[in-house]
Amino acid sequence: MNKTAASLTMSSKSGSRWNTSISFRFLCIVSGILLVSSVVATGIICINQNTVLERFLKNKARDLGAYVAKLSSEAMLLNNTVQLDAIVREAIKDDDIVYAFIRDTKGQILTSQFASIDYISLQKKSIELALPPDAGILEIAEAIKTREEILEVSTPVDVGDQRIGTVTVGISEAHIDAQLRRTTLFVLALNIAAAFAAGAVLFAASRKMILSPIKELAKATGCLARGELDTRVQVKAHGEVKMLVEAFNQMAHDLKMSTVSKEYVDNIIGSMNETLIVVSSEGSVVRMNRAACRLLGYGEEELIDQPIDVIFPEEPAGKVSLLDYLRTHGNLAETEKTYRANDGRNIPVLFSASEIRTGASMLGYVCVAYDITKRKKAERMLLQAQAELLTNHEVLKSLYAQRSAQAEELEKAYAELKTTQAQMIQNEKLASIGQLAAGVAHEINNPIAFINSNLGTLGKYFARILSYLDIQNQAFASLENPEIEAELAQARKRLKLDRILEDTGRVVEESQDGVERITKIINGLKMFSRKDEEEQKEADINAGLESTISVIWNELKYKVTLNRVTGDIPKIKCYPGQLNQVFMNLLVNASHAIEDKGEITVATWQENGNVVVSIADTGSGMPESVMKHIFEPFFTTKEAGKGTGLGLSISYDIVKKHNGEITVESAPGKGTTFRVSLPVG
Amino acid sequence: MRPTVQPGCTRRGTMRPASVKRSFFLSFVLFFLLCGSARAEKRIGILLFSDDMQDAVTGVLEQLRSCGFKEPAVKYLLENAKGNKAKVAELAHKFAKARLDLIVTVGTSATVPIVHQFKDIPVVFSMVYDPVEAKIAESWQSSGNNSTGTTARVSMPILLGRLNELVRVKRLAVLYTPGEKNSESQLMDLQRMQKSFGLKVVPVPLTGKGEAAFLLPEVLRTSDAIYLTGSNVVNTEVAGIVESAGRAHKVTVTHFQALAQRGVLLSVSANTRELGRLAGEKAVKILRGAKPSSIPIEGLKKYDLILNMRTAKAGNFLIPPSLLGAATRIIQ
C-alpha cells in the first residue's frame, strides 16, 4: 500500500519534474531562440521582399504605361478609339493590371469602360463595385482603389515634344501581397522547420552528450539515496561529463564499501528463513521478521509491543523465565525451546538469543529460532524406526540361524544325496557288471563242465592208448624184427611220438588244471557277483576274500606277491557281495599303489568279537594330507579318467552299513594298511 | 465548246499522199483545239469562312449555275475555313496551286487575305461589312483592284429605329472583337449614330472565349440592350449571351442573320442568300469578261426584320404589334 502511494506520488511529481528538468528548459530555450530567430529572419526577408516587389511592380506599371503610350500615340492622333480600346484591352490582360485608360490633354477619357477595366479579374476576386450604370471610368477606378491596394502610374503620351495625352495604369498590389504572404508563409514555415530540425538535432546531441548522462546520474543518485549501493552509471560520456560519471561511480563504490544500508539489512532480515524477534530490554517485542510472522501466524505489527512471553507456553511454576535467564546470562545458544503459535500450536524450535548493546547501554535481545518441527518428527520417527529395526534384526538373526542350520543340513543332505547318487550309480554299474559276469559264468559253466568231463575222459582214454601202445610195443619187441623195429623207431623219431606222448598227458593235465581254474574263477565270479539279498546272511569272510582275489588275480599276479594269513574266523551276518566289493576295492588300490613289484598281505583274524580283515601293501604310501580325504566321495589321486574317486567312499559306507569300521595306516614310501573290522553278531 | 469539223475533210473517196499530209495536219489542229476546249473549262474556287454564311455560298452557286456556269464545264472548288483564320491562309495556298479563273469569298476574314494575296485572279466577295474600312477596296464604286462583291452592311438608323420600337435604349453595349474589321466597323457605325439617337454606345471588347461570362454581369447591369457584332468570338458565345440577356430582360440585337437564327431577339439584316446571289451576278459578269474594278460594291436595298419569338418568350419580352407586322421573318 505504501509502495503504491509512493509510486503515485512519484508519478504525480514526474510531470512537474519534467517541467523543471534541464532537458525541458534546454528544449524550450533552444526552440524559443530558434523560433524567434526564424520569425525575425522571416520578417527581414519579407520586408526586403516587399520592397523588391513594390519596386518591381512600379517598374512594371511604368514600363507598361510607356509601352501603351507608345502604341496609342498614333491612334490618339487619328482619334481611333476602337484601336485605343484594343490597346488598353490588351494591357489589362496582365494579371496585375486592374485598369488602364487613356486621357487626352483635356482630361477626357478616350477609352471605353469595358476595354479599360479588368472586369474579369474583378469578377474572379468577387469585387462588386455597385456603382450607377452611367458611372465613369474615373469613378470606377476610385471605387476599385477603395477595394484593394492599387498602385496607379500615369505615363504621358508624347508625339515629339508635344504631349497629347496620358496613359494611366492601375496595378493591383494584391498579387504582390499574395506573393508576399506566400513568401512569408513559405519562409516562415521553412525557418520554423529548420528551427525545429536544428532544435531537434541540438536537443538530441545535447541529450546524448549531456542531458542523458546527467539524467542517468540523477537517477543513479536517487537510487543511491534509497540505499541501492550497487547502482552505477553506465553511459557513454565525454569530457567533463565522463569525469563526472567516473567520479560518481567511484563515490558509489566508496559509499558501498563504507556503508551497509538499512534496506539491505531489512532485506537480509526479511529474507531469513530463521525467525528473528527483537525484544526490548523490558521484554516486549520490538520487531519480528516475515519468517517469525509466518511461523507464529501473527501479522507483522500484531505482536509489536506485546510481551515476549506471548509466544512461549506457560512455564511451570518456579522455572526461570527466558527473560530472566537472558538478563542473568546475556546469551542463550542453540537451545531447544517451544514456541506457541497464534492458533495455540506448540512449535519446537532451536532457539538462540543474545543481547543488543550499544556501548554500555543494553538495547534489548535478538532472538533467532529455527523451526525444528520436522526434525523432531524425524527424530521420533527415527527412534521408532530404530526400535523396529532392532526387533526386526533379532527376528532376522534367529531366522538366519535357523536358515543357516537348515542350509547346512540341506547342504549335507545334498552332499550325501550326491554321494549316494554316485554310489548308487557305481553300485548299479558294478551290479550290472556282476550280473553280466554271473551270466557269463553261468553260461561258461556248462561248456566248462563238459570240457572238464571230456578232459577226464580223454585222460582215461589216453591212459588206455598208452597201455595199448605199451602192449603193442611189447608185441613188436616180441617179434624181434629189426626192420620193423627200425622202421617203427624211425617213424617214432620222425613223428616225435615219444615227445607227443610225454606232452599229451601233461597237456591234458594242464588242460584239466586250466578248466579247474576256470571253474574256480567262474565260481568266484558267481560268488562275487551274486546279487545282494534283501536281508543279511551269514557268510564266510575268508571265502569272500578268496573269491575276490580270484576275480582280480589276473591284475595282481604279475607284480604282486600275495600273502594270505587267514585266521580261523567265524561266519558273520552280512551282505557278502557288498563286502566282496570292499575287499576288491582295497586289493585294487593296493595293486595300484605298487608301481613295479611288491607284496600284498591279506590277513584275517578275530578280535574283540569282531572279524578283522587287514590288507597291507608295500606300495608308495600316502601323506597325511591325502589320507584324511581318502574316504571322501570323488577324491582320487589317480589320473583323470582312471579313477572315479568313489571306491573307498563306497567301501566306507558299506563297512558303516555293517556297523563296522575301516581304518588306514600309511606313510609315504612305507606302504598302506587298511583294516576292516566287522562285528560278528 | 464543241469542236468544229471542216465538211470538206471527207469530199473525195480516196486519199492521196498530199491529202494524207493535210489530214494529219488537220488532226493535229483538231487535237489542239480539243485541248484548248478542255483548258477552256472554268475553275472557280469558293472559300467560306464559317458555317453561318453557308446560305451565301448557296446563293452564289445558284446564280452561277442559273447563268450557265454548271459542272462539268465549270469546276467548283469549295472550301470551308470553319471560322479558323489560320486555315484561311492554308486554303489560300491551296487555291494558288489550283490555277483558278475566279475566287469567291464569303466573310470578311476569308476575303481580306485572299484579296491581298491574289492580284491576278478576280475575286468576288460577299458578307463583307465594310470593304473600304477593311482596306480591300478603295471605294464602294470601285475597288481599284481585281475584286468586287457585296456587303452585309445594314442601315444602322433603321436598325436602331427598330430597336427603339422594342425598347427605349439609352446605353447600348456592343459586343465586338478588336482586330476584326467587320466587327469594329459595326461598332464605329453605331458610335456615329449615338448622338442622333440619344444613346450611348458602350464598346465591350471580347478577345477570347470565356470572357463574355465575366463581363456580361456588369454589361447587363449597365446597359439597356446588347448589340452582337458577328465576330468569331461573339459567334461562339452567342448562346450564353442570349440566355444571360434574357434573364436580365435585356434585348439582344444584331445585323447578322445567322445570329438571329441562333437566338438573338431582333435582327435587321441583309438576306444572306440574296447577298450570295448578288455576288453570283458579279461573278458572272467577271466570267463574261468584265473587270472587277468596274463593278461597284453594293449591298441589298431591302433588309429582313427577324424576330426570335423563342427568345422573346423566354425573356418575357412584349413585342409591339407594329414590329410584329413589319417582321419579314419570325422564328418560332
Side-chain angles (χ1 to χ4, degrees), chain A residues 57-86:
Chain A
L57 212 59
K58 259 182 196 169
N59 289 338
K60 184 177 177 180
R62 199 166 49 239
D63 292 348
L64 194 68
Y67 181 65
V68 170
K70 190 176 180 184
L71 284 179
S72 54
S73 58
E74 188 183 342
M76 283 178 76
L77 288 173
L78 295 171
N79 199 25
N80 189 342
T81 55
V82 174
Q83 195 176 348
L84 291 174
D85 276 353

Side-chain angles (χ1 to χ4, degrees), chain A residues 80-83 85-86 89-90 93 112-115 117-121 123-124 129-135 140, chain B residues 171 173 176 178-179 184 187-188 191 202-208 210-211 213-215 217-223:
Chain A
N80 189 342
T81 55
V82 174
Q83 195 176 348
D85 276 353
R89 182 70 185 84
E90 282 303 312
K93 280 187 177 177
S112 67
Q113 175 190 343
F114 287 99
I117 309 295
D118 186 7
Y119 282 102
I120 294 173
S121 70
Q123 278 279 321
K124 284 179 179 173
L129 301 172
L131 293 168
D134 56 349
I140 295 169
Chain B
R171 288 174 65 88
Y176 79 108
E184 287 178 349
L187 172 64
M188 287 188 283
Q191 282 175 331
V202 181
V204 181
L206 295 178
T207 55
E211 283 182 7
F214 291 103
L215 293 176
E218 188 64 13
V219 169
L220 292 168
R221 192 182 74 82
T222 56
S223 305

